[in-house]
Amino acid sequence: MNVTVTGAAGQIGYALLFRIASGQMLGTDTPVRLRLLEIPQGVKAAEGTAMELDDCAFPLLAGIDIFDDPTAAFEGTNVALLVGARPRGPGMERGDLLEANGGIFKPQGQAINAGAADDVRVLVVGNPANTNALIAASNAPDVPKDRFTAMTRLDHNRALTQVAKKAGVPVSEVRKVTIWGNHSATQYPDIFQADVAGTPGARLAEDREWLEGTFIPTVAKRGAAIIDARGASSAASAANAAIDHVRDWVHGTPEGDWTSAGVVSDGSYGVPTGLISSFPVVSRGGSWEIVQGLELSELSRGRVDASVAELQEERQAVEQLGLV
Ligand code: NAI
């Protein structure tokens, strides 16, 4: 399998590549060839990471190539992890941020369209992830839209642990938590349908002070709390979530549970068609399916709508910029 990783010399790239090469993402029977994409200034550092990958002598690692040209980097790719993105600089408005990222994700979408393998699967990690995924998908007209996804798995995993801690149960006993909407501070972690070691999540949600005052803000603002504590943004946990996302996409989600991913909306739950929004999803036969038939509480409905409204604003902004 050819795996392209953009932003390969960054901190998530450093936490991600060794796990891919060791077989944790695609399985221990699948050899991988890594294709690393960096900007020219990042190539030397990527070469250093490639030297370390060589020094691990991973039996599954069939080769490493380094590029500063997206067209070459996505040639024949089966799995594309779009991690490199333009961070928000001082004084940068949202429109500037979307425009700067459009300059990255538009050509990458075009390059995927031109040369990726027919079965390509794309995960966008770089922020603003949902709208960057929308830009890439819109610029790859020959690739089915459902092959473009945005990462909300880190938010999902954060929510699982917060629920487990509140209930005093192992995290493995928390199921059916959902992240809805945008990977931003408006995201909505929903526990109303959850199964918490046999107890309905709705019962935990009866403690509204905890739900609205602690749980939701803790999950939604976790990224900022990590930066505050670590002096750098989440990297190993983000890489771990990317591994989880692709592994489940390729190999399927466990029976009796679901996960969360930013996928193209088919209009489910009133989310406008074509937006890349986070939903409860299962993976069957190598494709994501949105879990149907969940009843949203009044609180959930309002929060989902607010996050989706933000996604619509972002879509309008990138439409006006001619990026989609
Ligand atoms: P970083 O700044 O350490 O690394 C980013 C790398 O991308 C740099 O090496 C840079 O040279 C490279 N890059 C920039 N433009 C590029 C381009 N056009 N093509 C190829 N490479 C390019 O950043 P870090 O910590 O690795 O984070 C990467 C992104 O992931 C950020 O946008 C961050 O906000 C996002 N993120 C998303 C999360 C999620 O849950 N969706 C969680 C954590 C981070």
Side-chain angles (χ1 to χ4, degrees):
M1 293 271 265
N2 288 316
V3 178
T4 300
V5 178
T6 78
Q11 49 154 5
I12 295 177
Y14 194 73
L16 184 60
L17 291 165
F18 298 84
R19 297 190 59 187
I20 298 172
S22 71
Q24 292 179 52
M25 184 171 83
L26 294 172
T28 48
D29 52 358
T30 306
V32 289
R33 182 173 284 276
L34 287 171
R35 302 176 73 81
L36 314 184
L37 177 65
E38 259 296 341
I39 51 175
Q41 306 90 289
V43 165
K44 191 168 177 216
E47 285 168 356
T49 304
M51 287 161 70
E52 283 202 74
L53 283 160
D54 279 340
D55 294 349
C56 294
F58 288 118
L60 291 172
L61 186 54
I64 312 168
D65 294 295
I66 301 171
F67 304 92
D68 62 7
D69 166 34
T71 307
F74 292 111
E75 187 65 48
T77 199
N78 305 102
V79 176
L81 298 166
L82 309 191
V83 180
R86 179 73 188 276
R88 190 186 286 254
M92 217 174 174
E93 300 293 335
R94 188 169 63 172
D96 303 330
L97 182 73
L98 292 170
E99 190 169 12
N101 278 291
I104 295 174
F105 288 87
K106 184 173 177 177
Q108 290 186 0
Q110 290 166 336
I112 288 167
N113 196 56
D118 287 346
D119 68 347
V120 67
R121 291 179 169 90
V122 183
L123 170 62
V124 177
V125 175
N127 283 318
N130 300 53
T131 297
N132 287 342
L134 180 72
I135 294 169
S138 304
N139 286 282
D142 303 330
V143 180
K145 294 279 175 279
D146 64 359
R147 305 291 185 74
F148 286 85
T149 62
M151 192 168 91
T152 54
R153 184 61 174 263
L154 177 54
D155 310 298
H156 181 92
N157 288 345
R158 286 166 171 166
L160 289 178
T161 299
Q162 294 306 317
V163 170
K165 285 189 170 179
K166 166 75 174 168
V169 302
V171 74
S172 57
E173 298 212 21
V174 183
R175 282 183 266 279
K176 299 185 176 174
V177 162
T178 305
I179 304 295
W180 297 92
N182 200 2
H183 170 69
S184 75
T186 67
Q187 66 174 265
Y188 171 53
D190 181 0
I191 62 164
F192 280 88
Q193 331 284 343
D195 173 343
V196 187
T199 303
R203 195 163 308 154
L204 281 187
E206 283 168 10
D207 183 350
R208 287 299 159 101
E209 207 178 298
W210 170 76
L211 184 76
E212 296 196 77
T214 303
F215 172 70
I216 296 173
T218 298
V219 175
K221 295 181 188 160
R222 186 73 163 177
I226 304 267
I227 292 173
D228 194 38
R230 211 173 81 85
S233 59
S234 329
S237 55
N240 178 68
I243 297 274
D244 284 351
H245 177 111
V246 175
R247 188 200 56 230
D248 284 357
W249 193 355
V250 172
H251 294 293
T253 38
E255 279 304 317
D257 199 2
W258 63 65
T259 188
S260 304
V263 296
V264 66
S265 176
D266 57 0
S268 294
Y269 300 100
V271 178
T273 309
L275 282 182
I276 297 200
S277 179
S278 189
F279 285 99
V281 289
V282 291
S283 168
R284 299 274 176 265
S287 302
W288 291 117
E289 292 166 16
I290 297 171
V291 175
Q292 297 297 328
L294 304 181
E295 263 185 45
L296 297 190
S297 66
E298 203 184 316
L299 181 145
S300 300
R301 188 71 259 173
R303 297 239 178 198
V304 173
D305 289 348
S307 192
V308 168
E310 183 183 56
L311 283 173
Q312 281 180 286
E313 283 169 26
E314 289 183 15
R315 177 162 70 178
Q316 275 160 15
V318 293
E319 275 169 359
Q320 278 162 14
L321 291 164
L323 294 168
V324 300

